[in-house]
């Protein structure tokens, strides 16, 4: 039996750490907060491992009667009713264990542990070091709460909490205007998307009369009156079910930075680099994928059109972000777009998947990719952090030739690049392979786009790699005037060594995992219906993707291995397109235009006018009338006792007359 | 010569009452005002006695009330004089017209 208190401790440890650091640690023992946070999350990670081990070996396979089966069941070890609206409809706070939530708690606690550990070195000497760790703990708690939610409203609560912690961490350097702007942008854009999520929840809950995931899924996938109602109700040509799911997906798309709600993610790179690794690469941004996966049976069995939308949004974001990533020069932004592209991969993998058995390949592949991506993307970000720590700049032009100076970072970064490019035998190869398989069986157009994206991915990742580690000789002296670094550090010493051990150890661990996790028999553990999904490896199929990825790498090699004009020549030949991609296809400008020009002038200004003149005017009118009357009658209060006595007697006389003569 | 009736007594009490009111509203000296209040109270006492004697001769309620009022009046007078003394200490006057700071 999985102990309830053990599971509850996994999210509770970080929140206790957060409270402790925020209330006491920050003031009395700021230097030890980092170690405290790391130990706490380390314990959480060990507990998560234990829970995962118990679940996947024995507990998960027990059915309701306690008999061992070959299917993984959902377990709810803990649930309390929090707000009861009607006998069926209540907001519960509970823990739901199934393969994906277990996988997520392992990923979240593990990456969080790596980032906590890494930050010990990276954030050393920061003024708000303790605050940083308290925010990290808050985020970890929120994310764990999100993935363990047993209720769609509970997930929404934690959804907002991760939004807040992301906001706090992006705006960590709050004295920099760009960081403040980025944190606000991230918060507002995701909040806007969450509005869709909330309406989606309300639509689904209204028709299905429940907020509980298990009941909701059961109710909307089987032949029930609620299911008939929600399909029958239609609005603008689509059923209420489609609307509900699409709205929920909008929330997921906002959090997962899917086109066109991706604008916040590149800007979010203003935060400290380990934060980008944790929140904006490995955990929070995959919350959208997780949400769709959580509701996957409903999407797949009851509403294929909504799933179609998921697929197309995913694949278009994937390609779109990959193209932009090729043109960016800020290394963290390249990684941000790469994240967006990879999440697009996970999304469309869900989109092309079916439910159950062989059809569920896409689902399993998506989760697999989520898992491997968390490893190598966290590694890429932490590696980039190490480079930034060394060079004190985010720009590619300030780097180059670092391979000798930072050997460990170099090797681990190379492994991560190979993994994300999908070169066997690294992790990314296996998960991408499954995704492409799923796409191939479902939709050939998506498959073609996906494979092209894979080639572009390989190209831009190796463009990044060669630009950082090869290209030209590194001259430390030329960089001293560059203080446009995104993370402020103490002055860079002349004979700088590679990053401290606290930063290198996570890199090595993650590199080992990026190389090896591909061999996990993932289908046996995670699948759409809980039954083991055996995937056979097909070498013939993988020739094309690997070949394309190799071509991408080769082009990057030719362009960027040594400083040469080839890349510039190609740039010039497609100048218009290049400039557009460099400016991220002007999506930000469109947003600015819509919000500042259109919304501000057409809605904001008239609304402000009405507020200032009509709403405020009414209130002011009432106030002035009161004031005038008060001014007129205030003389009555003269301060003279005898005058008051006269009023009193006059009043008394009045009452006497009233009662004696008029009140018969 | 008729015996004095209820109406005559009531007339006296009524006259006393309005003399008291008049004095309370017009006199500026607080001691005089206090005396006016005593007049008002005594007019009420006379009323009680008169009604008791002429209408409910077999009862004593009116007399009791009168005694009560006399007691209360004594207490009231002491409070009032305390106020007057305090007033004098602060303002060096017992003219109520001078004391009008509690106003708009």
């Amino acid at each position: 039996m999985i102990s309830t208190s053990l599971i509850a401790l996994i999210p509770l440890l970080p929140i206790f750490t957060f409270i402790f650091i925020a209330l006491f640690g920050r003031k009395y023992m700021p230097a030890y907060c980092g170690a405290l946070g790391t130990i706490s999350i380390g314990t959480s990670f060990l507990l998560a491992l234990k829970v995962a081990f118990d679940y996947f070996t024995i507990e998960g396979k027990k059915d309701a009667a306690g008999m061992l089966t070959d299917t993984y069941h959902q377990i709810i070890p803990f649930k309390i009713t929090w707000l009861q609206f009607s006998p069926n409809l209540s907001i519960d706070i509970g823990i739901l264990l199934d393969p994906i939530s277990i996988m997520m708690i392992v990923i979240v606690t593990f990456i969080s542990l790596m980032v906590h550990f890494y930050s010990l070195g990276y954030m050393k000497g920061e003024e708000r070091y303790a605050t940083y760790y308290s925010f990290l703990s808050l985020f970890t708690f929120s994310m764990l709460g999100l993935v363990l939610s047993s209720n769609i409203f509970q997930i929404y609560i934690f959804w907002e909490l991760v939004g807040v912690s992301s906001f706090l961490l992006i705006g960590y350097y709050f004295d920099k205007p760009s960081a403040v702007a980025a944190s606000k942008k991230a918060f507002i854009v995701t909040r806007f998307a969450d509005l869709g999520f909330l309406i989606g929840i309300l639509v689904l809950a209204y028709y299905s009369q429940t907020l509980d995931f298990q009941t909701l899924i059961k109710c909307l996938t089987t032949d029930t009156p609620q299911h008939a109602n929600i399909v029958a109700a239609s609005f603008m040509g689509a059923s209420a079910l489609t609307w509900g799911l699409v709205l929920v997906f909008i929330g997921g798309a906002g959090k997962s930075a899917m086109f066109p709600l991706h604008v916040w993610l590149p800007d979010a790179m203003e935060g400290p680099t380990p934060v980008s690794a944790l929140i904006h690469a490995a955990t929070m941004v995959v919350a959208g994928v997780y949400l769709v996966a959580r509701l996957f049976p409903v999407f797949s069995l009851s509403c294929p059109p909504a799933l179609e939308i998921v697929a197309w949004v995913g694949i278009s974001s994937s390609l779109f972000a990959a193209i932009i990533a090729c043109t960016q020069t800020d290394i963290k932004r390249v990684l941000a777009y790469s994240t967006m592209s990879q999440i697009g991969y996970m999304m469309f993998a869900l989109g092309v998947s079916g439910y159950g058995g062989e059809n569920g390949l896409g689902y399993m592949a998506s989760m697999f990719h989520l898992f491997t991506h968390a490893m190598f993307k966290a590694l890429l970000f932490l590696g980039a952090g190490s480079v930034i720590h060394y060079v004190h700049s985010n720009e590619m032009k300030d780097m180059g030739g670092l391979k000798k100076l930072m050997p460990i970072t170099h090797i681990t970064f190379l492994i991560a690049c190979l993994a994300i490019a999908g070169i066997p035998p690294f992790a990314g190869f296996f998960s991408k392979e499954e995704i492409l398989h799923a796409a191939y069986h479902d939709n050939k157009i998506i498959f073609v786009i996906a494979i092209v994206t894979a080639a572009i991915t390989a190209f831009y990742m190796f463009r990044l790699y060669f630009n950082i580690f090869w290209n030209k000789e590194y001259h430390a002296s030329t960089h001293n005037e560059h203080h446009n670094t995104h993370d402020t550090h103490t002055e860079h010493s002349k004979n700088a060594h590679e990053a401290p051990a606290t930063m290198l150890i996570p890199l090595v661990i993650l590199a080992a995992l990026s190389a090896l996790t591909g061999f996990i028999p993932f289908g046996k553990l995670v699948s759409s219906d809980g039954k083991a999904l055996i995937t056979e490896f097909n070498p013939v199929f993988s020739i094309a993707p690997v070949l394309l990825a190799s071509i991408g790498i080769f082009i990057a090699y030719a362009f960027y291995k040594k400083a040469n004009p080839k890349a510039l020549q190609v740039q010039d030949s497609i100048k218009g397109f290049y400039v557009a991609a460099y400016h991220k296809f002007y999506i930000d400008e469109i947003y600015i235009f819509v919000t500042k020009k259109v919304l501000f002038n057409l809605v904001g200004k008239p609304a402000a006018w009405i507020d200032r003149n009509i709403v405020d005017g009414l209130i002011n009118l009432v106030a002035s009338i009161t004031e005038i009357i008060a001014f007129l009658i205030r003389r009555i209060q003269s301060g003279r006792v005898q005058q008051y006595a006269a009023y009193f007697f006059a009043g008394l006389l009045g009452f006497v007359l009233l009662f004696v003569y008029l009140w018969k | 010569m008729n015996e004095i009736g209820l109406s005559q007594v009531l007339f006296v009490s009524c006259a006393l009452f309005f003399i008291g009111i008049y004095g309370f509203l017009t006199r500026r000296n607080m001691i005089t005002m206090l005396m006016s209040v005593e007049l008002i109270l005594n007019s009420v006492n006379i009323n009680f006695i008169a009604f008791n004697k002429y209408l409910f001769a077999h009862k004593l309620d009116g007399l009791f009330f009168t005694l009560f009022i006399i007691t209360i009046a004594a207490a009231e007078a002491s409070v009032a004089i305390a106020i007057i003394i305090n007033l004098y200490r602060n303002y060096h006057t017992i003219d109520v017209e001078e004391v009008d700071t509690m106003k708009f």
Side-chain angles (χ1 to χ4, degrees):
Chain A
M1 188 62 210
I2 300 179
S3 151
T4 309
S5 54
L6 221 60
I7 299 162
L9 217 52
I10 297 172
L12 286 180
L13 273 175
I15 189 71
F16 287 150
T17 315
F18 163 68
I19 293 170
F20 181 78
I21 294 181
L23 290 183
F24 311 109
R26 217 155 48 120
K27 205 166 174 189
Y28 300 111
M29 40 181 276
Y32 300 100
C33 287
L36 179 75
T38 312
I39 291 168
S40 138
I41 189 67
T43 320
S44 272
F45 170 61
L46 292 178
L47 290 174
L49 271 189
K50 163 145 177 45
V51 168
F53 183 77
D54 287 353
Y55 182 86
F56 284 122
T57 48
I58 294 249
E59 293 299 332
K61 292 188 173 177
K62 282 186 186 159
D63 61 6
M67 298 296 288
L68 280 181
T69 57
D70 58 348
T71 313
Y72 286 112
H73 296 277
Q74 294 188 327
I75 306 179
I76 298 190
F78 162 76
K79 182 156 98 172
I80 50 167
T81 306
W82 179 45
L83 288 178
Q84 183 105 38
F85 298 120
S86 72
N88 295 324
L89 190 68
S90 66
I91 298 182
D92 301 338
I93 298 291
I95 288 178
L96 175 66
L97 293 183
D98 69 351
I100 56 171
S101 71
I102 300 242
M103 177 196 77
M104 285 301 286
I105 58 171
V106 172
I107 294 177
V108 172
T109 50
F110 175 66
I111 302 292
S112 187
L113 175 64
M114 288 298 118
V115 166
H116 271 78
F117 196 70
Y118 181 90
S119 302
L120 288 175
Y122 190 85
M123 300 300 284
K124 197 172 182 180
E126 285 288 338
E127 205 175 310
R128 295 164 69 234
Y129 179 76
T131 314
Y132 171 81
Y133 271 97
S134 72
F135 288 166
L136 275 190
S137 296
L138 175 66
F139 170 76
T140 312
F141 160 72
S142 320
M143 192 66 208
L144 288 169
L146 192 156
V147 297
L148 288 172
S149 294
S150 70
N151 184 294
I152 196 164
F153 213 90
Q154 189 191 350
I155 221 173
Y156 183 71
I157 294 168
F158 285 106
W159 193 267
E160 293 301 325
L161 264 175
V162 289
V164 166
S165 17
S166 157
F167 165 82
L168 290 171
L169 283 164
I170 297 170
Y172 177 73
Y173 297 115
F174 63 85
D175 47 358
K176 264 197 324 177
S178 58
V180 174
S183 65
K184 277 195 289 192
K185 186 173 179 181
F187 193 74
I188 293 168
V189 173
T190 51
R191 196 62 200 76
F192 174 74
D194 294 346
L195 184 66
F197 187 15
L198 181 61
I199 300 173
I201 291 176
L202 295 180
V203 170
L204 292 182
Y206 176 77
Y207 283 102
S208 61
Q209 286 301 307
T210 177
L211 287 165
D212 186 72
F213 272 126
Q214 285 181 318
T215 335
L216 182 82
I217 289 169
K218 202 168 165 204
C219 178
L220 292 181
T221 50
T222 49
D223 204 10
T224 54
Q226 289 96 325
H227 182 243
N229 275 340
I230 196 169
V231 172
S234 103
F235 175 69
M236 283 177 30
S239 75
L241 179 62
T242 314
W243 276 105
L245 289 175
V246 168
L247 284 165
V248 167
F249 174 63
I250 287 176
K255 208 55 118 197
S256 287
M258 290 288 100
F259 181 82
L261 294 166
H262 65 279
V263 288
W264 66 272
L265 186 61
D267 286 22
M269 297 301 135
E270 289 289 344
T273 311
V275 167
S276 310
L278 175 62
I279 301 185
H280 307 118
T283 56
M284 187 189 84
V285 285
V286 296
V289 180
Y290 179 77
L291 184 66
V292 175
R294 179 51 77 224
L295 291 172
F296 188 72
V298 187
F299 273 98
S300 176
L301 295 175
S302 312
C303 196
L307 203 59
E308 191 98 329
I309 292 175
V310 173
W312 283 104
V313 169
I315 190 69
S316 51
S317 305
S318 184
L319 180 65
F320 174 82
I323 292 171
I324 296 178
C326 295
T327 62
Q328 297 299 305
T329 56
D330 179 327
I331 60 169
K332 280 181 77 182
R333 277 178 188 258
V334 174
L335 291 177
Y337 280 107
S338 141
T339 305
M340 181 182 157
S341 172
Q342 295 304 308
I343 295 169
Y345 250 79
M346 299 170 205
M347 279 291 184
F348 84 74
L350 284 175
V352 296
S353 174
Y355 184 78
E358 287 290 308
N359 298 328
L361 178 66
Y363 178 91
M364 170 263 168
S366 172
M367 291 298 114
F368 193 16
H369 198 57
L370 195 162
F371 185 73
T372 56
H373 173 256
M375 301 301 160
F376 55 67
K377 189 48 71 64
L379 173 56
L380 283 170
F381 266 103
L382 294 182
S386 172
V387 170
I388 292 169
H389 194 77
Y390 187 86
V391 179
H392 285 254
S393 167
N394 281 17
E395 289 297 319
M396 273 183 196
K397 65 175 167 28
D398 300 330
M399 298 165 188
L402 290 170
K403 65 179 186 302
K404 287 265 166 54
L405 297 164
M406 319 183 71
I408 297 177
T409 311
H410 169 228
I411 297 295
T412 52
F413 204 88
L414 177 61
I415 291 173
C417 285
L418 287 170
I420 195 173
I423 301 298
F426 297 99
F429 165 73
F430 294 94
S431 50
K432 241 179 217 186
E433 203 58 32
E434 307 289 0
I435 290 182
L436 292 175
H437 248 299
Y440 183 76
H441 291 305
D442 188 75
N443 191 328
K444 295 286 189 292
I445 304 172
I446 289 183
F447 171 72
V448 171
I449 302 176
I451 209 164
V452 170
T453 308
I456 301 175
T457 306
F459 168 71
Y460 69 71
M461 285 320 297
F462 276 85
R463 168 175 175 265
L464 186 67
Y465 166 74
F466 285 120
N467 263 319
I468 296 176
F469 295 104
W470 298 77
N471 203 291
K472 51 187 185 268
E473 284 297 302
Y474 180 70
H475 299 292
S477 57
T478 58
H479 303 295
N480 282 349
E481 50 277 40
H482 290 297
H483 286 292
N484 55 343
T485 72
H486 282 214
D487 304 79
T488 41
H489 287 291
T490 47
E491 199 51 46
H492 183 58
S493 61
K494 283 284 176 212
N495 51 354
H497 291 287
E498 203 176 352
T502 44
M503 286 165 68
L504 293 179
I505 292 168
L507 291 183
V508 174
I509 297 174
L510 282 167
L513 287 171
S514 298
L516 298 174
T517 44
F519 295 102
I520 294 175
F522 209 77
K524 284 187 185 153
L525 305 177
V526 177
S527 62
S528 54
D529 54 356
K531 292 194 179 66
L533 174 65
I534 309 297
T535 50
E536 76 261 32
F537 178 61
N538 190 347
V540 182
F541 181 82
S542 37
I543 291 175
V546 172
L547 201 66
L548 274 169
S550 311
I551 292 171
I553 296 173
F554 180 74
I555 295 172
Y557 174 81
F559 280 8
Y560 302 107
K561 166 85 190 319
K562 287 206 174 67
N564 63 34
K566 280 183 214 153
L568 286 175
Q569 284 162 8
V570 175
Q571 265 176 38
D572 282 339
S573 65
I574 50 165
K575 198 156 181 47
F577 186 74
Y578 178 83
V579 171
Y582 183 76
H583 289 106
K584 305 144 201 168
F585 295 104
Y586 301 101
I587 300 289
D588 277 310
E589 280 75 5
I590 292 170
Y591 269 97
I592 293 285
F593 176 77
V594 170
T595 51
K596 278 216 168 136
K597 292 272 158 57
V598 179
L599 283 179
F600 187 72
N601 285 334
L602 296 184
V603 181
K605 277 194 174 169
W609 187 86
I610 288 173
D611 183 54
R612 278 189 201 130
N613 293 295
I614 295 180
V615 177
D616 285 7
L618 275 175
I619 304 290
N620 286 340
L621 188 68
V622 172
S624 338
I625 290 171
T626 315
E627 197 187 354
I628 291 166
I629 293 172
F631 193 79
L632 291 175
I633 63 172
R634 69 177 187 154
R635 297 256 151 213
I636 292 172
Q637 190 159 9
S638 60
R640 294 185 178 163
V641 179
Q642 287 173 316
Q643 215 166 24
Y644 298 161
Y647 299 149
F648 170 72
F649 280 116
L652 195 67
L653 210 63
F655 273 114
V656 168
L657 291 175
L658 182 72
F659 282 109
V660 174
Y661 294 105
L662 298 172
W663 204 284
K664 293 287 179 181
Chain B
M1 190 68 191
N2 289 331
E3 209 173 290
I4 298 171
L6 177 60
S7 56
Q8 279 92 335
V9 182
L10 287 186
F11 181 79
V12 171
S13 110
C14 188
L16 212 52
F17 181 80
F18 281 103
I19 290 166
I21 295 282
Y22 176 76
F24 188 74
L25 292 181
T26 54
R27 294 284 132 181
R28 301 304 180 223
N29 190 318
M30 284 199 80
I31 303 284
T32 329
M33 282 170 72
L34 179 59
M35 286 156 68
S36 311
V37 173
E38 296 299 327
L39 284 186
I40 295 169
L41 287 169
N42 281 328
S43 81
V44 174
N45 285 345
I46 290 171
N47 262 7
F48 270 117
I49 299 287
F51 284 120
N52 194 52
K53 180 175 186 322
Y54 289 100
L55 300 181
F56 306 99
H58 57 288
K59 283 184 176 170
L60 289 171
D61 300 18
L63 295 177
F64 288 148
F65 266 105
T66 308
L67 287 173
F68 262 118
I69 290 171
I70 290 167
T71 333
I72 301 289
E76 176 255 322
S78 68
V79 172
I81 287 169
I83 290 173
I84 292 167
I85 289 170
N86 260 314
L87 205 64
Y88 184 74
R89 283 190 183 154
N90 286 311
Y91 290 89
H92 299 286
T93 175
I94 51 168
D95 185 341
V96 283
E97 288 286 278
E98 303 282 310
V99 187
D100 61 350
T101 43
M102 292 277 281
K103 62 180 179 185
F104 51 86

